[in-house]
Amino acid sequence: MKEYMVLESKRRDAEKLMNEMAQKGWDVVSVTDWSAWRLRLLITFSRET
């Protein structure tokens, strides 16, 4: 079974966040630009439970 998590990140912090999550066993599924008052990235992660 898979578990999913969606996190918001500033563009300049995205690489650090993805590396931290990878160390915890999470894989990046998708990255989406999102702007509602400010530009952010929505990063979707998954891992086997």
Side-chain angles (χ1 to χ4, degrees):
M1 181 177 215
K2 287 199 178 231
E3 176 180 15
Y4 294 91
M5 181 183 298
V6 177
L7 298 177
E8 181 181 323
S9 177
K10 294 179 182 176
R11 192 176 289 273
R12 67 175 174 254
D13 299 330
E15 184 177 355
K16 180 181 177 191
L17 174 62
M18 287 187 265
N19 286 328
E20 288 172 357
M21 295 300 287
Q23 289 177 350
K24 296 176 184 178
W26 291 91
D27 296 317
V28 174
V29 174
S30 69
V31 178
T32 305
D33 284 327
W34 178 67
S35 63
W37 301 292
R38 61 186 189 258
L39 182 59
R40 299 287 186 183
L41 297 176
L42 293 180
I43 306 170
T44 304
F45 297 92
S46 72
R47 70 176 175 184
E48 292 291 331
T49 57

